[in-house]
Amino acid sequence: MLTSKIAGIGCYVPANKITNEDLKEYMDTSDEWIQERTGIRERRYAHRTEETTTTMAVEASKIAIERAGITAQDIDFIVFATLSPDYYFPGCGVLVQRAMQMKEIGALDIRNQCSGFVYALSVADQFIKTGMYKNILVIGSEKHSFGLDFSTRGRNISVIFGDGAGAVVLQATEKEGQGIISTHLHSDGHSAELLAMYNPGTHANHWVKEPLADYIDAPIGEMFMSKEMIDKAQNFPFMDGPAVFKKAIVKFPEVIMEALIKNGLTTADINMLIPHQANLRISQFVQQKLALRDDQVFNNIQQYGNTTAASIPIALCEAWQQGKIKEDDLVCLAAFGSGFTWASALIRW
Ligand code: COA
């Protein structure tokens, strides 16, 4: 039977380091507040004009493809997860296809924010299991720094997010017991507006009245940003941080346990949990709830902040590079974020 294994993994973060101290130049915040609430010490910001979500993705992809021992010409399909695409449309998948001079293969963009990479991996896994494709490039990449509110008004969000990219080559294998064991995808749209960027969009304030109406309001014909919308900061993401936190600490353990139970495994079988790097406090809560040892969980949010769709592949890449993931290890990926959507994947490395 065909399964999919991660044949190569790569990651890329911009050189430009932004510390918590640096952010104090723009907003009323402190290193102490940010570290205490999120664990974040610094993050990377892409070059304003020379780096995009796609160019970072290409750098990560080159490494993943080389480590898989193949060339860009061998890639059969691209699945690209991002919430910060280069263009409103088309998606970043086609830009990678062009930049890497690939064949005229299919390219699919996934819009599932923080759980985007696990969703992307799951989609790619299905194509491989059916025998349709052999080598799929799965990418998560974000350039958040282009669209955050760096005034005090936006500080609850802007201190959290960073830029970067990660990619894997998912490859068909017949080796028994290796590769993706199962993936588990969920959503609950009732809280869609609690972590969202409403504009540009076609909603014309259809979904939500008070109290978010003023924040969301987009008059018909002005979905591509009127001056008034910009003045009211309606062009920036919105997050109800405490509500996200409360839901995340329930759904992370739930979706991890779902994956383990489905496969007759327990938390003791996990060699490495790679949680989406939303907030160090969330990861610590999940670790404690599942009674996992420190060596069973990998976190690097301290250096990179929350890079949304890129956070899991960057963390997976670093854990592997540091020798913390070895052949035959049971790796669990778990994510939660905007939508809300949440997901997990179990992989035998
Ligand atoms: N620096 C200093 N003060 C800040 C701040 C910042 N960067 N951001 C918010 N504050 C202030 C608030 O204005 C508020 O002040 P007030 O009490 O005078 O009104 C106070 O800190 C507490 O705000 P609150 O939002 O209740 O803080 P919190 O303890 O919930 O922490 C988050 C905020 C965002 C860190 C936390 O809610 C969180 O991590 N949520 C989950 C976010 C997440 O994971 N998002 C990604 C999802 S994938």
Side-chain angles (χ1 to χ4, degrees):
M1 198 184 88
L2 280 177
T3 54
S4 13
K5 67 168 185 182
I6 292 181
I9 182 160
C11 52
Y12 173 84
V13 289
N16 187 19
K17 265 187 208 172
I18 304 290
T19 65
N20 295 342
E21 286 297 320
D22 293 332
L23 291 178
K24 281 168 64 180
E25 277 181 44
Y26 308 98
M27 64 189 80
D28 181 11
T29 190
S30 67
D31 178 48
E32 194 190 0
W33 192 98
I34 300 172
Q35 287 216 45
E36 191 185 306
R37 311 281 175 125
T38 70
I40 299 166
R41 289 198 298 269
E42 59 192 33
R43 71 288 293 140
R44 306 292 178 98
Y45 286 170
H47 189 281
R48 235 181 131 64
T49 54
E50 284 167 23
E51 287 180 313
T52 73
T53 296
T54 300
T55 67
M56 293 189 287
V58 167
E59 293 308 315
S61 300
K62 282 183 193 163
I63 300 168
I65 289 171
E66 196 192 330
R67 285 177 174 164
I70 60 171
T71 71
Q73 289 293 307
D74 298 315
I75 298 293
D76 303 312
F77 193 61
I78 300 166
V79 191
F80 197 127
T82 187
L83 66 68
S84 50
D86 292 30
Y87 300 133
Y88 189 72
F89 70 84
C92 291
V94 298
L95 303 180
V96 168
Q97 183 273 340
R98 175 176 71 184
M100 301 192 76
Q101 299 173 3
M102 291 168 167
K103 291 180 290 192
E104 292 178 350
I105 54 173
L108 171 71
D109 276 50
I110 298 243
R111 298 195 48 186
N112 279 71
Q113 294 52 262
C114 298
S115 56
F117 185 79
V118 184
Y119 266 74
L121 206 62
S122 178
V123 168
D125 182 39
Q126 312 313 313
F127 278 119
I128 285 182
K129 278 184 183 146
T130 59
M132 187 158 171
Y133 297 125
K134 199 170 159 215
N135 290 303
I136 303 183
L137 183 61
V138 184
I139 303 167
S141 180
E142 305 285 2
K143 182 176 173 179
H144 285 306
S145 57
F146 89 109
L148 296 171
D149 181 355
F150 287 105
S151 72
T152 296
R153 182 180 55 193
R155 64 184 177 176
N156 72 318
I157 296 184
S158 47
V159 301
I160 293 179
F161 292 96
D163 301 341
V168 302
V169 172
L170 204 63
Q171 191 172 69
T173 177
E174 288 188 3
K175 192 175 160 195
E176 196 136 335
Q178 194 187 23
I180 296 182
I181 301 169
S182 64
T183 55
H184 307 267
L185 312 178
H186 295 281
S187 74
D188 176 3
H190 287 94
S191 305
E193 284 75 20
L194 296 186
L195 176 50
M197 186 159 142
Y198 312 114
N199 301 304
T202 59
H203 56 80
N205 204 5
H206 173 75
W207 295 102
V208 174
K209 308 300 172 196
E210 297 299 331
L212 294 179
D214 189 49
Y215 197 98
I216 298 177
D217 192 33
I220 288 174
E222 291 188 343
M223 74 177 209
F224 288 102
M225 306 287 180
S226 65
K227 181 171 178 317
E228 193 195 348
M229 287 160 71
I230 291 170
D231 289 345
K232 286 174 156 179
Q234 291 167 345
N235 54 324
F236 292 119
F238 173 87
M239 179 174 74
D240 179 339
V244 174
F245 196 101
K246 275 185 210 144
K247 191 84 170 180
I249 58 174
V250 174
K251 292 301 173 188
F252 264 110
E254 200 176 283
V255 79
I256 293 166
M257 288 313 298
E258 178 186 347
L260 291 171
I261 291 165
K262 162 92 194 297
N263 294 289
L265 298 163
T266 71
T267 51
D269 296 309
I270 294 179
N271 297 103
M272 186 55 77
L273 169 67
I274 309 277
H276 161 56
Q277 302 291 294
N279 178 325
L280 190 61
R281 303 292 160 248
I282 294 177
S283 294
Q284 288 169 337
F285 189 96
V286 173
Q287 176 177 345
Q288 200 181 12
K289 173 105 183 151
L290 299 179
L292 295 169
R293 299 182 309 273
D294 285 351
D295 64 288
Q296 287 178 289
V297 185
F298 188 82
N299 288 301
N300 61 2
I301 191 170
Q302 300 91 330
Q303 288 92 54
Y304 305 124
N306 178 340
T307 56
T308 307
S311 93
I312 286 185
I314 293 174
L316 187 63
C317 181
E318 289 205 333
W320 176 79
Q321 286 173 175
Q322 291 170 21
K324 292 181 175 170
I325 297 176
K326 294 177 282 306
E327 203 173 333
D328 279 336
D329 276 357
L330 184 71
V331 177
C332 181
L333 313 181
F336 174 88
S338 163
F340 294 130
T341 64
W342 58 101
S344 64
L346 269 188
I347 305 169
R348 182 65 67 187
W349 202 263

